[in-house]
Amino acid sequence: MEGGKTARIVLDRDFKIGDIDPRIYGGFLEHMGRAIYTGIYEPGHPTADEQGFRQDVLDLVRELGVPIVRYPGGNFVSGYNWEDGVGPKDQRPRRLDLAWRSLETNEVGTNEFADWTLKANSQMMLAVNLGTRGIDAARNLVEYCNHPGGSYWSDKRREHGYPDPHNVRVWCLGNEMDGHWQIGFKTAVEYGRLAAQAGMAMKLVDPSIELVACGSSSISMPTFGEWEATVLDLAYHHVDYISLHTYYGKGDLDTPSYLARSLGMDEFIEAVVSICDYVRSKKKLRKRIHLSFDEWNVWYHSREEDRRIMEQHAWQVAPPLAEERYTLEDALLAGCMLISLLKHADRVKIACVAQLVNVIAPIMTVPGGPAWKQTIYYPFMHASRYGRGTALLMQVDSPQYADPQYDAVPYLEAVATYDEEHEEVSIFAVNRSQEDPLYLEGDLRCFTGYGVQEHLVLSHADPHATNSAEQPHNVRPGRVEGSQVREGRLEAELPPLSWNVIRLSSRRSS
Amino acid sequence: MEGGKTARIVLDRDFKIGDIDPRIYGGFLEHMGRAIYTGIYEPGHPTADEQGFRQDVLDLVRELGVPIVRYPGGNFVSGYNWEDGVGPKDQRPRRLDLAWRSLETNEVGTNEFADWTLKANSQMMLAVNLGTRGIDAARNLVEYCNHPGGSYWSDKRREHGYPDPHNVRVWCLGNEMDGHWQIGFKTAVEYGRLAAQAGMAMKLVDPSIELVACGSSSISMPTFGEWEATVLDLAYHHVDYISLHTYYGKGDLDTPSYLARSLGMDEFIEAVVSICDYVRSKKKLRKRIHLSFDEWNVWYHSREEDRRIMEQHAWQVAPPLAEERYTLEDALLAGCMLISLLKHADRVKIACVAQLVNVIAPIMTVPGGPAWKQTIYYPFMHASRYGRGTALLMQVDSPQYADPQYDAVPYLEAVATYDEEHEEVSIFAVNRSQEDPLYLEGDLRCFTGYGVQEHLVLSHADPHATNSAEQPHNVRPGRVEGSQVREGRLEAELPPLSWNVIRLSSRRSS
Amino acid sequence: MEGGKTARIVLDRDFKIGDIDPRIYGGFLEHMGRAIYTGIYEPGHPTADEQGFRQDVLDLVRELGVPIVRYPGGNFVSGYNWEDGVGPKDQRPRRLDLAWRSLETNEVGTNEFADWTLKANSQMMLAVNLGTRGIDAARNLVEYCNHPGGSYWSDKRREHGYPDPHNVRVWCLGNEMDGHWQIGFKTAVEYGRLAAQAGMAMKLVDPSIELVACGSSSISMPTFGEWEATVLDLAYHHVDYISLHTYYGKGDLDTPSYLARSLGMDEFIEAVVSICDYVRSKKKLRKRIHLSFDEWNVWYHSREEDRRIMEQHAWQVAPPLAEERYTLEDALLAGCMLISLLKHADRVKIACVAQLVNVIAPIMTVPGGPAWKQTIYYPFMHASRYGRGTALLMQVDSPQYADPQYDAVPYLEAVATYDEEHEEVSIFAVNRSQEDPLYLEGDLRCFTGYGVQEHLVLSHADPHATNSAEQPHNVRPGRVEGSQVREGRLEAELPPLSWNVIRLSSRRSS
């Protein structure tokens, strides 16, 4: 054990954070860029099914494991008339999408997306437009989607070819309504009141639905905190979740400082939890508001190009917006963000990687050509596949480094999950060090008899390495050997700048 | 005069409360339960006319004497599109009524109801939807109803078969907009502003209309008082009335405490009067705001069943909601409430018993079968028939009883009205005692030559006695003899737990 | 030089107020009275073109020189659905115009008006309805007018026969939204928020547009000042101009006091400038808000008649509303108002005489008959024709008179403009004295070689003299001789109660 540092962790099956809601592995598909058109939907593509959905994309989405997908926005939804997207396709209007300065053909709408989510083994998380519209359009959409039939809008759905209701459970009350870029942007009082009114009417249509209120668009909004407190004060009874959004960019940061950004995600989550519980205690209520981290990712490579397209090439159908090309280090930060979500599994019940296809996305497509996986695909897939069950309250003792923003950044970012049914424990770990491997020593306590089943690593000699349509496998995970459990102690080596999944199982002894 | 108590009253034709506005005998018909469908409207019923209106019900309504009927809600109106209810019936949409979790077929709408009110010798008091809609839908409805023709909406009415305007005089600006159960519920500032804006536009269409602003949904609302003051502060110039709503329930109360509840109605009215006059003096205006007590009744028998139907049997057409079965004691409390309205005839210009048919109603129907009268039918009919002209400022000196809520409750609840044209005086009186008769001594002062024409009594050995379709006459009023005027003094005996109408006339001497 | 007073002015080409935006010579045409119907539009009129536009009116408008015309309101717009006025004329609805209690046939709408403005050598300044409507209708109208095609609303325009966009540059965010007479009247916070939201969405459709926020309806509104500050605080980023409206009436004033009213216009403009700059400095911004004085004129002759028509003869098509018959003294006050606009050319970038035809207008028409010019036509035409280029910071030393409202009113109201390209200077001057001529001495400084090209005077023996269809030339301008430049000093005589244009040019020496 030379040339590296040692980090120690303790796992105990009796010390738990909470049950992991599978919906933290949710995704997001907005009518933006090529997410829908030439993303999930491309009639004429060699793999397209009879509805025009690309099977190659669907295969990747199913492999990724995305139990819920937020739709149709995002900023897009604040100017969207949902009625434009249902009924005979040849009668659907072509609209200016003011949010992304694009042209929306409305070829894909709520019903098509419902079919797609079924094919993707997923479910819909629908947003209503609280920018240009209000209570009425919202209650009508819930009726259209969830009412069995016999009423105006539910019968319209049936006429449109969908005899069975879509039964959408989770609904977003608008999107980022505090943002000055949002069509119909609102003050906290305006939004809190409208969220209460619309939410109340939506739940009268279907009392079984769950509602997500908009939190601040990011922790850096000048109204952060006060926004959440005011909105919850006005709409507490009517909502179930409050949303959080975060995109990290690299700017002038070096790799260690960049990878440290996920500490801000922990702080963000904990700040919002404290606001929810403050309002709860002030109102003397038992009901808790949970968190929906429904936009999170890394986004900075394409910003300039996005601006150029919107300013100089406005009003295209499906312009190539936000087509990030993710590097290894981006994947590591995404991995840290996944770990942050798991560390707050007691309160974060929904999270959506933003987005799923082409637009700041793990899955990319070439129109008429193949679909391929970005670097960030892998941490997400690992977490979704192996990070089920219970999040464990892991003790971590890691060496640290200094950073201009955070005094002490641990080299090791890690969390463990425990799948009691299958007797499996997964340790997700990032080594933030760019020079040294990190030696991991784990005290497994009462997980007697557990051994290492597999140690997966995503790493690369070049932290800026990316995948592409031509080189889709440049960055991809591999198995490493040598990790083991000896006398109840886990021993493993995490390479420099690496994402690791160490899967322990009672079925194998080390 | 043994085994009873004595109460003394003084009547003087020169001491008046004010002229009685006949509209205090108004009713209310909401699209709720079986009020409309299988209530006033049942095509195929043996008594149905060519429009489907039950003649047996119309007969009872005409007998009851209801000069104005509020319509179409109530909570219903806050989700109602009035356009759904006009035009060809086969094109009217079936809507989810979120307020009562029922299905609205829209077979009856504004025009049909206009016809019905004509047949009922009544007039419409229409409510506009300020829950999901605003200024525009409101002004259009006024144009549709009241504009002679030549404009878009008035020509629509003509196309729909109504060449003459309906000339609706009184309009409600929404319904119970402070209630958390109300679709689009509002703060006082939000509502006051919207009421001013919508009211202003409605009066531009027809300056002859009168507008009712929503007061608090009940005196027990946490915002009561402040709501009225704020709303009037914002909308004083645009409105003419403010609404009051009260429903009394029995809960664990014994009969005397239950009958004492009407003292709260006096207090409620006087509180609202004081708020109106406070805003008036603050604004230094001459115009007075009057009161529209547009929902009042007893409601408690059906509450559990109502909840069960809405939760477990939602989305029916015309479910049997709020089908109270009224007892004798309910009728006595309703009588006390009528007396309270008359005692405030100077400020209460409109009142609506809620409701008229099937739903918390004096008139009940059996689908395909008969219509019958509840116990509360009779006090209302008596008051409406005999309580016209001027309300007299009667001096009452009654024995009292203690009550947990009110220190001293008079056994005698009474008011007198004077019809100068026909030279008739009516005394409406309830004896709240369940054991003893009450001996009434009246000093008639300048009503020289008046004698007892008739003494009507509603009473029953069992205070919980009710009527039913099978026993429609179990509780009904009768005439009692023995009441007389001697040397200018009225002598009458009010049986225990009884409603009394003592009609004096100059045409008969005692 | 006896029997008169002397005023001295100094002109220097290096002391400038600012460039004159030609749009200060804008007009206003509202769907009100006979402005549109039998005003600019009268199919069947002998001079009507194939679209029904009167050529005689167009000739006068072109002669007047009106580079921009505000449309379609005014109060009218706050109840207007712009969609009513486009598409096949036989399908356009007849609407109640609640603002003017008239009937709107919608024969003329946005597209027809676009054609008219082209024929009038002008451009449109369109107002969106923020009374009964909001963000959505506003963004759609911008799309309809300005988007080239390929989207729902722009394709509608093409369907309606207009393949090219109208490219409307200046848009009014509603009209006089603080006025209690305005449909959907708003508080400053309500309006400021809506202006920001609607303006933001409109600029997303077309970033090249400029937006005018409503200022106070007049300086006499109780909320004046606070309204502007609040609205700008909320909408500063989204708007480019703030509006001012002023109509002067004579009431009991004598002629000198009446003519002094324009001093209030100076004060009004300077007050609004100070508010704009206060908000700018508070917000630490570089962007300046400019002024759109988009309703100004004299209005008092017809007020009683207007009231009578609206109350007793409501719901006519094109009733003869606001048909002022302007006197000479009205023309002088209008001239003073034009001078006030020019004196503030650095901040007033748009101004609209209200209105253009028939309604408080310089141009009048007889249905089926001639069009003729009111007295106020001439000062406007002179200013528009000769008042281009740069407004000069003229030093004025004038004798003064006392007035109950203003301590010292100068007899001379004057401003000078400099057209560098054509080497012309125009002095616009009103002599407010009703008894005496005013001798004008001008120090021309560096305008060496300039001489008097023309001195135009509008005057009349009777200050109450008017024009009419029968006597269209009773009051009209003439040339006076004798004005001259001697040794760099201008000498001219301004008759009592006169409007003067003294045109200096380098091409002629005196």
Side-chain angles (χ1 to χ4, degrees), chain A residues 403-441:
Chain A
D403 173 79
Q405 189 165 6
Y406 301 101
D407 285 346
V409 181
Y411 284 106
L412 175 66
E413 188 64 69
V415 73
T417 65
Y418 172 41
D419 179 345
E420 195 164 4
E421 188 191 342
H422 300 96
E423 296 194 313
E424 289 188 3
V425 168
S426 301
I427 298 167
F428 301 98
V430 169
N431 177 5
R432 286 192 177 100
S433 170
Q434 46 187 348
E435 294 92 19
D436 301 319
L438 194 60
Y439 301 106
L440 188 68
E441 292 185 9

Side-chain angles (χ1 to χ4, degrees), chain A residues 30-321:
Chain A
E30 182 171 2
H31 280 250
M32 172 186 176
R34 301 196 303 113
I36 305 296
Y37 305 110
T38 73
I40 65 167
Y41 174 83
E42 189 181 342
H45 187 273
T47 74
D49 66 11
E50 71 293 347
Q51 284 194 288
F53 292 129
R54 287 179 62 150
Q55 295 301 304
D56 56 350
V57 173
L58 272 168
D59 286 342
L60 293 182
V61 173
R62 281 187 297 251
E63 183 185 333
L64 196 56
V66 185
I68 193 166
V69 184
R70 188 164 164 254
Y71 175 89
N75 298 342
F76 171 78
V77 82
S78 296
Y80 182 54
N81 301 332
W82 66 265
E83 302 89 338
D84 289 348
V86 297
K89 285 202 181 190
D90 57 359
Q91 291 164 34
R92 297 188 192 171
R94 294 164 77 84
R95 295 281 185 193
L96 297 188
D97 165 18
L98 302 184
W100 302 112
R101 307 203 81 213
S102 307
L103 196 79
E104 173 55 51
T105 65
N106 283 305
E107 282 178 73
V108 172
T110 306
N111 291 320
E112 290 81 18
F113 192 70
D115 288 331
W116 185 86
T117 49
L118 281 177
K119 292 175 179 178
N121 296 335
S122 189
Q123 52 181 275
M124 291 198 280
M125 172 175 174
L126 281 187
V128 298
N129 172 356
L130 295 186
T132 57
R133 310 186 80 185
I135 308 172
D136 218 35
R139 66 161 175 167
N140 290 344
L141 181 55
V142 178
E143 182 186 330
Y144 184 88
C145 289
N146 286 12
H147 197 70
S151 68
Y152 182 79
W153 285 112
S154 59
D155 286 346
K156 281 275 175 204
R157 184 197 67 238
R158 298 170 68 96
E159 260 177 66
H160 295 159
Y162 294 80
D164 295 322
H166 299 315
N167 288 321
V168 179
R169 284 285 74 81
V170 186
W171 295 78
C172 301
L173 293 164
N175 172 73
E176 295 185 357
M177 297 308 305
D178 62 334
H180 63 83
W181 57 86
Q182 199 72 202
I183 303 171
F185 66 106
K186 298 200 165 36
T187 65
V189 169
E190 288 170 348
Y191 174 69
R193 288 286 305 133
L194 182 54
Q197 291 171 317
M200 177 270 201
M202 291 164 75
K203 286 191 170 175
L204 282 176
V205 179
D206 182 352
S208 74
I209 62 174
E210 295 185 316
L211 296 177
V212 184
C214 292
S216 297
S217 296
S218 83
I219 197 174
S220 63
M221 296 296 285
T223 50
F224 170 73
E226 197 173 320
W227 172 275
E228 280 79 358
T230 304
V231 167
L232 289 178
D233 195 53
L234 293 167
Y236 202 97
H237 288 287
H238 305 282
V239 306
D240 304 283
Y241 307 95
I242 191 151
S243 74
L244 299 83
H245 290 184
T246 284
Y247 295 99
Y248 291 127
K250 197 166 179 207
D252 300 325
L253 300 178
D254 60 12
T255 299
S257 286
Y258 178 51
L259 295 181
R261 299 298 302 271
S262 70
L263 274 65
M265 189 157 174
D266 292 334
E267 291 178 348
F268 188 11
I269 292 171
E270 286 153 25
V272 175
V273 166
S274 70
I275 298 166
C276 292
D277 290 355
Y278 148 66
V279 180
R280 176 178 179 260
S281 59
K282 192 180 71 164
K283 288 182 174 280
K284 302 180 176 50
L285 296 169
R286 300 212 61 76
K287 170 184 172 180
R288 279 199 194 278
I289 301 294
H290 290 287
L291 276 56
S292 173
F293 213 124
D294 45 36
E295 291 190 27
W296 68 266
N297 207 344
V298 164
W299 187 3
Y300 62 101
H301 302 278
S302 68
R303 295 274 193 188
E304 273 305 308
E305 173 69 0
D306 296 347
R307 201 167 294 125
R308 200 187 61 81
I309 291 173
M310 287 197 284
E311 281 171 14
Q312 298 173 26
H313 302 280
W315 315 125
Q316 296 179 67
V317 176
L321 286 173

Side-chain angles (χ1 to χ4, degrees), chain C residues 94-412:
Chain C
R94 293 165 76 83
R95 295 281 185 192
L96 297 187
D97 163 19
L98 302 183
W100 302 112
R101 307 203 82 213
S102 307
L103 197 79
E104 173 56 51
T105 64
N106 283 305
E107 281 178 72
V108 173
T110 306
N111 291 321
E112 290 81 18
F113 192 70
D115 288 331
W116 185 87
T117 49
L118 281 177
K119 292 174 179 177
N121 296 336
S122 188
Q123 54 181 274
M124 290 198 279
M125 171 176 175
L126 281 187
V128 298
N129 173 356
L130 295 187
T132 58
R133 310 187 80 184
I135 308 171
D136 217 36
R139 66 160 174 168
N140 290 344
L141 180 55
V142 178
E143 181 186 333
Y144 184 88
C145 289
N146 286 13
H147 196 71
S151 68
Y152 182 80
W153 284 112
S154 59
D155 286 346
K156 281 277 173 202
R157 184 197 67 237
R158 298 170 68 97
E159 261 177 65
H160 295 160
Y162 293 81
D164 294 322
H166 299 315
N167 287 324
V168 179
R169 284 284 77 78
V170 185
W171 294 78
C172 301
L173 293 165
N175 172 72
E176 295 185 356
M177 296 308 305
D178 62 333
H180 64 82
W181 58 85
Q182 198 74 202
I183 304 171
F185 66 106
K186 298 201 165 32
T187 65
V189 170
E190 289 170 347
Y191 174 68
R193 288 287 304 134
L194 181 55
Q197 292 171 316
M200 177 269 201
M202 293 164 75
K203 286 190 171 175
L204 283 176
V205 179
D206 182 352
S208 73
I209 63 174
E210 295 185 313
L211 296 177
V212 185
C214 292
S216 297
S217 297
S218 83
I219 196 173
S220 63
M221 296 296 285
T223 50
F224 169 74
E226 197 173 321
W227 172 276
E228 279 79 358
T230 305
V231 167
L232 288 179
D233 195 53
L234 293 168
Y236 202 97
H237 288 287
H238 306 281
V239 305
D240 304 284
Y241 306 95
I242 190 152
S243 74
L244 299 83
H245 290 184
T246 283
Y247 296 99
Y248 291 127
K250 197 167 179 206
D252 299 325
L253 300 177
D254 58 14
T255 299
S257 286
Y258 178 51
L259 295 180
R261 298 297 302 272
S262 71
L263 274 64
M265 191 158 174
D266 292 333
E267 292 179 347
F268 188 11
I269 291 171
E270 287 153 24
V272 174
V273 166
S274 71
I275 299 167
C276 294
D277 290 354
Y278 148 66
V279 180
R280 175 178 180 261
S281 59
K282 192 180 70 163
K283 288 182 174 280
K284 302 179 176 51
L285 296 169
R286 300 212 62 76
K287 170 185 174 182
R288 279 197 194 277
I289 300 294
H290 290 288
L291 275 56
S292 173
F293 212 123
D294 45 35
E295 291 189 28
W296 68 265
N297 207 343
V298 164
W299 187 2
Y300 61 102
H301 302 278
S302 69
R303 295 273 194 189
E304 273 305 308
E305 174 69 0
D306 297 346
R307 200 167 294 124
R308 199 188 62 80
I309 291 173
M310 287 198 284
E311 281 171 14
Q312 296 173 29
H313 303 280
W315 314 126
Q316 296 178 69
V317 176
L321 286 173
E323 303 213 353
E324 294 279 299
R325 198 56 58 96
Y326 289 115
T327 63
L328 173 74
E329 65 181 9
D330 296 336
L332 300 184
L333 182 50
C336 291
M337 295 175 87
L338 284 159
I339 292 168
S340 179
L341 294 173
L342 283 165
K343 288 195 296 184
H344 299 92
D346 54 333
R347 295 305 288 274
V348 178
K349 297 297 180 189
I350 301 172
C352 304
V353 66
Q355 298 184 16
L356 211 48
V357 182
N358 286 332
V359 173
I360 36 175
I363 300 169
M364 299 299 290
T365 71
V366 177
W372 53 275
K373 302 170 186 175
Q374 298 240 39
T375 59
I376 63 168
Y377 184 93
Y378 298 105
F380 190 98
M381 182 190 71
H382 291 156
S384 180
R385 186 172 296 177
Y386 305 123
R388 304 289 177 114
T390 305
L392 296 177
L393 188 63
M394 188 163 77
Q395 285 297 325
V396 176
D397 175 17
S398 168
Q400 299 173 328
Y401 60 96
D403 173 77
Q405 191 166 3
Y406 301 101
D407 284 347
V409 180
Y411 283 106
L412 174 67

Side-chain angles (χ1 to χ4, degrees), chain B residues 246-290:
Chain B
T246 285
Y247 296 99
Y248 291 127
K250 197 166 178 204
D252 299 325
L253 300 177
D254 59 13
T255 298
S257 286
Y258 178 50
L259 294 181
R261 300 297 302 273
S262 69
L263 274 65
M265 189 157 176
D266 293 334
E267 291 179 346
F268 188 11
I269 291 171
E270 287 153 24
V272 175
V273 166
S274 71
I275 299 166
C276 293
D277 291 353
Y278 148 67
V279 181
R280 175 179 180 262
S281 60
K282 191 179 70 163
K283 288 181 175 280
K284 300 181 176 52
L285 297 169
R286 300 212 60 76
K287 171 184 172 181
R288 279 197 195 278
I289 301 294
H290 290 288

